Amino acid sequence: MRAKIATSLSALLLCFGGQSPAQAIDPAYQPQMERLAEIMGALYHLDDLCLRSGIDWREQLAELMDLDEVDDDRRARLAGAFNNNYADFQQSHSRCTDSATLLTSRFLEEGAKISYDIHIRYAE
């Protein structure tokens, strides 16, 4: 499962590698990117509690933003989505429970789907 997630995220990172500089207008995939940032924020906390996969979700988002060459406004919104969800999950989950494990699995699946969808629809 983790290999599938890593492959999907890697494909997404690669698809942004050749993009032209970001423009003032949000790309069509911005809502999906914000949701992906939220998911990565939750995983930054939940993965540490339950999976201990060693994936640095904050670094993954930073790489994604660098490759997409987001402007300052988009960077702030994506980082805000990440940080808000991280803080929410940090407050609501202090240890690995069945619920946290289930959420982690669901977020990994949803993140892989979003990554795949963005890659298929918007990669050149």
Side-chain angles (χ1 to χ4, degrees):
M1 171 74 132
R2 280 186 251 161
K4 182 179 177 183
I5 302 303
T7 300
S8 294
L9 288 175
S10 295
L12 181 60
L13 290 171
L14 287 174
C15 86
F16 290 121
Q19 294 285 330
S20 60
Q23 300 176 5
I25 298 173
D26 284 348
Y29 54 85
Q30 181 64 18
Q32 291 123 315
M33 286 287 289
E34 288 182 26
R35 178 61 184 149
L36 188 57
E38 290 173 347
I39 289 168
M40 294 170 101
L43 287 171
Y44 189 67
H45 178 66
L46 293 173
D47 187 330
D48 190 45
L49 285 179
C50 297
L51 291 180
R52 302 187 192 279
S53 70
I55 296 172
D56 184 341
W57 295 102
R58 185 179 302 272
E59 180 62 30
Q60 291 289 315
L61 180 62
E63 287 179 28
L64 197 61
M65 289 190 293
D66 289 345
L67 288 171
D68 194 21
E69 297 178 346
V70 300
D71 61 24
D72 290 341
D73 178 59
R74 285 185 63 215
R75 183 174 297 274
R77 286 184 282 148
L78 292 168
F82 180 101
N83 290 333
N84 289 339
N85 229 28
Y86 169 76
D88 288 347
F89 278 86
Q90 189 178 37
Q91 287 181 345
S92 62
H93 294 84
S94 60
R95 60 188 174 83
C96 187
T97 62
D98 290 341
S99 174
T101 301
L102 180 62
L103 283 169
T104 301
S105 177
R106 286 183 179 170
F107 283 142
L108 287 169
E109 289 175 22
E110 184 181 356
K113 182 184 181 314
I114 291 170
S115 298
Y116 178 79
D117 289 347
I118 292 173
H119 178 73
I120 292 300
R121 291 184 69 194
Y122 302 103
E124 296 179 309

